[in-house]
């Protein structure tokens, strides 16, 4: 999987094709983060092959729908549980991000994992993602923003000369 652009959240529902021995098959629903529907379907079959004993040739996708954020203008703290493959082995991890939407937080997570741990997008698997209350946040990078009296000082204030943009005298345009 390539992580180009921002990721979107998809709900993919699929099942094993009915056979004579098993006429009614259960539905499997997954929450997938991908760039588009094609990648979402591909990731669905990748995970289902690991979890259950069937694959794309013996199954079908019932529906793929994009999930939109209910409140995309409210800032939230997201806790993300993931596992990733590094050069030395497989690791589980919990990370926190502060963003407006789930998909933006997941995109931020993929970028951060690539920068800090050199983890490629295909090596990262999101296990769980949920909104975390301000009091339950564990990471100082997120919890430092919970101060109601937070101030952002100007590092280098430039003093401009008095007068600004307006000129007191009219410019001379005619010369002899």
């Amino acid at each position: 999987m390539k992580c180009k652009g921002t990721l979107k959240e998809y709900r993919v529902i699929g099942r094993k094709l009915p056979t004579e021995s098993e006429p009614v098959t259960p539905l499997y629903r997954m929450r997938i983060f991908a760039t588009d529907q094609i990648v979402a379907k591909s990731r669905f079959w990748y995970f289902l092959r690991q979890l259950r004993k069937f694959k794309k040739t013996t199954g079908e996708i019932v529906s793929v729908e994009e999930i939109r954020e209910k409140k995309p203008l409210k800032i939230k703290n997201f806790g993300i549980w993931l596992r990733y493959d590094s050069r030395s082995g497989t690791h589980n991890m919990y990370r926190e991000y502060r963003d407006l939407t789930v998909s933006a937080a997941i995109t931020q997570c993929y970028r951060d994992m690539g920068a800090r741990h050199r983890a490629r997008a295909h090596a990262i698997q999101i296990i769980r993602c949920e909104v975390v209350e301000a009091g339950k946040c564990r990471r100082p990078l997120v919890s430092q923003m919970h101060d109601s009296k937070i101030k952002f000082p100007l590092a280098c204030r430039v003093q401009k000369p008095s007068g600004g943009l307006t000129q007191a005298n009219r410019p001379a345009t005619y010369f002899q």
Side-chain angles (χ1 to χ4, degrees):
M1 178 179 121
K2 287 199 174 167
C3 189
K4 280 187 167 181
T6 55
L7 297 173
K8 296 172 191 159
E9 184 181 358
Y10 291 97
R11 182 186 296 126
V12 185
I13 302 171
R15 66 175 185 161
K16 192 175 183 179
L17 285 170
T19 57
E20 289 180 12
S21 61
E22 195 180 5
V24 179
T25 55
L27 293 170
Y28 297 99
R29 181 182 68 197
M30 270 190 208
R31 183 183 181 194
I32 305 280
F33 296 95
T35 49
D36 56 4
Q37 284 193 355
I38 296 154
V39 178
K41 287 181 194 176
S42 173
R43 294 300 281 173
F44 174 78
W45 289 122
Y46 169 77
F47 289 124
L48 209 64
R49 226 178 17 247
Q50 291 180 338
L51 297 169
R52 296 284 178 262
K53 201 171 174 70
F54 68 94
K55 52 189 180 181
K56 188 178 178 181
T57 55
T58 59
E60 66 177 351
I61 289 187
V62 178
S63 77
V64 180
E65 51 189 17
E66 187 181 338
I67 299 170
R68 303 254 183 215
E69 189 77 24
K70 286 179 183 157
K71 293 184 178 178
L73 299 176
K74 183 187 173 204
I75 192 104
K76 295 170 274 297
N77 307 309
F78 292 100
I80 299 171
W81 287 261
L82 59 97
R83 74 186 274 222
Y84 78 100
D85 296 322
S86 70
R87 294 183 181 114
S88 58
T90 306
H91 312 281
N92 291 325
M93 197 178 277
Y94 170 75
R95 304 186 73 80
E96 283 180 357
Y97 295 97
R98 194 167 159 82
D99 217 312
L100 295 169
T101 62
V102 182
S103 48
I106 295 288
T107 306
Q108 195 178 336
C109 178
Y110 271 89
R111 303 283 182 266
D112 197 36
M113 289 296 293
R116 291 179 195 269
H117 301 280
R118 300 291 183 265
R120 307 290 182 262
H122 65 84
I124 300 171
Q125 297 177 8
I126 304 295
I127 297 169
R128 196 167 108 205
C129 178
E130 60 185 40
V131 178
V132 182
E133 296 173 20
K136 303 255 173 131
C137 284
R138 304 182 210 169
R139 305 291 182 254
L141 203 67
V142 174
S143 58
Q144 71 181 353
M145 297 298 208
H146 296 152
D147 185 14
S148 61
K149 295 177 182 173
I150 192 167
K151 293 181 180 178
F152 298 100
L154 291 172
C156 181
R157 186 180 290 237
V158 178
Q159 291 286 350
K160 296 200 174 172
S162 62
L165 297 172
T166 57
Q167 280 284 0
N169 54 350
R170 289 182 65 179
T173 58
Y174 178 72
F175 301 103
Q176 288 186 357

